[in-house]
């Protein structure tokens, strides 16, 4: 088997795995109960999907056509830089605008902290 | 001094390129010489009394590998949870005190953690050392999450210190 053929097969396998991962994360988006758990499915599984798809493309072009595609690598880097920031901000904004956790949630360490902060703010506003 | 090591490395590469005595100066020969120089300096750096100047680079590569393995492991867990016919997860928010100090380190840690499936950093306390993390399944995966955090912390400290 030639190198081109192997590169093609490996690349296709990576892209296929990425496609499966993104389908599963779409299922997760539909099935999970609240915004916090959904954000896991939406932002995280899709980072894996993007990583697999783009590295599959990279391998395909590298071995199949001897073409080093720097743009694909840059795509991975930028997705990995922006995805966590977006996920963090969506979840933080949701919590700050009092979106409730799903009923199956068992622990909420943040509740007391934020509510104490708010009470202090209210007190401060009352005094001034 | 790291700069001295870099200069020495470039010098070795030049020497290598010139001693190869080719018809023209090739960049590939220079690169090969640079790699040989890296090898030499790696084995000799203890005589300089300074740290190896590519140490930080090596630890960045190590961090990337740790991240890749954690990413695949926790992805498999999350995908399994999504695909199980009955959703038996117990999401929740827990608190984690990190040993990392500077802003860059905490940012790196929370970024890596948010990238790995099954955990999102929701809030960073104003002091910057307490993270509030939302996890997909607190009861079962808290221990593995914390060991993952410790892994990341160790790797990040190697990079920044």
């Amino acid at each position: 088997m030639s190198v081109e053929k192997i590169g093609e097969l490996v690349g296709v396998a990576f892209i296929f795995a990425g496609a499966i991962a993104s389908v599963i994360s779409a299922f997760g988006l539909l099935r999970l109960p609240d915004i916090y758990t959904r954000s896991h499915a939406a932002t995280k599984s899709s980072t894996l999907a993007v990583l697999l798809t783009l590295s599959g493309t990279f391998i395909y072009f590298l071995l199949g056509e001897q073409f080093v595609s720097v743009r694909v690598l840059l795509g991975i880097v930028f997705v990995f830089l922006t995805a966590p920031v977006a996920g963090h901000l969506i979840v933080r904004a949701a919590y700050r605008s009092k979106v409730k956790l799903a009923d199956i949630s068992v622990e909420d360490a943040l509740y007391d902290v934020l509510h104490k902060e708010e009470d202090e703010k209210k007190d401060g506003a009352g005094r001034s | 001094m790291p700069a001295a090591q870099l200069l020495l490395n470039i010098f070795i590469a030049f020497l290598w390129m010139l001693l190869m005595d080719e018809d023209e100066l090739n960049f590939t020969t220079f690169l090969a010489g640079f790699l040989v120089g890296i090898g030499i300096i790696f084995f000799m750096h203890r005589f300089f009394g300074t740290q190896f100047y590519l140490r930080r680079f090596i630890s960045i590569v190590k961090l990337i590998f740790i991240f890749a393995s954690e990413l695949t492991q926790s992805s498999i867990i999350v995908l399994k949870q999504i695909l199980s016919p009955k959703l038996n997860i117990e999401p929740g928010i827990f608190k984690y005190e990190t040993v990392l100090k500077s802003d860059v380190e905490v940012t790196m840690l929370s970024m890596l953690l948010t990238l790995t499936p099954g955990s999102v950093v929701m809030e960073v306390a104003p002091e910057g050392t307490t993270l509030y993390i939302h996890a997909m399944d607190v009861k079962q995966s808290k221990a593995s999450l914390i060991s993952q955090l410790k892994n990341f912390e160790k790797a990040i400290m190697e990079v920044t210190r």
Side-chain angles (χ1 to χ4, degrees):
Chain A
M1 220 155 54
S2 61
V3 179
E4 284 85 17
K5 206 79 187 161
I6 295 172
E8 224 165 80
L9 282 179
V10 172
V12 166
F14 266 74
I15 295 172
F16 186 62
I20 287 178
S22 67
V23 164
I24 295 175
S25 66
F27 279 144
L29 204 58
L30 292 173
R31 286 195 64 195
L32 292 168
D34 65 347
I35 180 170
Y36 307 104
T37 43
R38 277 181 180 174
S39 82
H40 289 293
T43 60
K44 308 312 131 39
S45 307
S46 54
T47 50
L48 182 75
V50 167
L51 176 72
L52 284 173
T53 315
L54 288 184
S55 43
T57 316
F58 181 74
I59 291 170
Y60 179 86
F61 279 112
L62 182 68
L63 296 180
E65 305 186 8
Q66 275 82 44
F67 174 68
V68 180
S69 172
V70 182
R71 253 176 280 177
V72 169
L73 293 183
L74 273 182
I76 297 178
V77 170
F78 279 110
V79 165
F80 273 58
L81 273 182
T82 52
V85 178
H88 168 67
L89 280 180
I90 290 169
V91 171
R92 186 170 186 265
Y95 199 89
R96 294 244 162 178
S97 45
K98 303 195 178 61
V99 177
K100 279 200 175 60
L101 289 168
D103 298 333
I104 48 172
S105 305
V106 290
E107 205 180 331
D108 190 351
L110 195 52
Y111 186 85
D112 296 333
V113 183
L114 274 189
H115 283 253
K116 211 171 79 192
E117 238 173 60
E118 264 166 30
D119 290 345
E120 273 166 13
K121 257 184 217 154
K122 258 184 221 152
D123 290 350
R127 254 180 264 129
S128 61
Chain B
M1 259 194 301
Q5 291 185 21
L6 179 63
L7 276 179
L8 190 63
N9 201 344
I10 291 171
F11 176 70
I12 292 171
F14 256 109
L15 214 60
W16 181 272
M17 184 172 71
L18 296 175
L19 286 178
M20 281 305 238
D21 205 17
E22 287 165 333
D23 296 334
E24 51 190 12
L25 298 180
N26 288 325
F27 183 68
T28 45
T29 325
F30 182 79
L31 218 60
F34 199 81
L35 291 179
V36 171
I38 288 175
I40 293 173
I41 290 178
F42 179 71
F43 286 113
M44 295 297 189
H45 77 270
R46 64 197 181 95
F47 299 116
F48 298 126
T50 50
Q51 274 178 323
F52 185 47
Y53 78 108
L54 288 176
R55 185 188 62 96
R56 197 160 279 192
F57 177 74
I58 291 172
S59 43
I60 288 174
V61 172
K62 216 198 257 167
L63 180 63
I64 290 173
F65 272 102
I66 290 175
F67 172 66
S69 78
E70 295 286 354
L71 182 68
T72 33
Q73 275 172 26
S74 50
S75 290
I76 290 167
I77 293 174
V78 167
L79 294 183
K80 229 186 251 166
Q81 280 168 348
I82 289 173
L83 285 181
S84 67
K86 214 168 150 277
L87 275 182
N88 48 356
I89 53 170
E90 288 166 330
I93 302 166
F94 70 93
K95 194 170 143 186
Y96 181 74
E97 301 270 351
T98 171
V99 293
L100 300 175
K101 292 271 155 39
S102 71
D103 287 355
V104 181
E105 291 170 338
V106 175
T107 311
M108 239 202 278
L109 178 70
S110 40
M111 215 153 174
L112 291 177
L113 197 70
T114 310
L115 269 174
T116 48
S119 51
V120 187
V121 176
M122 290 189 67
E123 286 272 349
V124 182
E127 306 86 57
T129 52
T130 312
L131 302 175
Y132 294 93
I133 298 164
H134 185 274
M136 189 93 154
D137 197 350
V138 182
K139 281 260 168 60
Q140 280 171 30
S141 62
K142 195 169 178 181
S144 70
L145 252 177
I146 285 178
S147 76
Q148 184 184 330
L149 274 163
K150 294 256 187 282
N151 257 345
F152 282 151
E153 273 178 353
K154 233 170 49 195
I156 288 171
M157 270 198 273
E158 268 179 41
V159 173
T160 52
R161 286 177 197 173

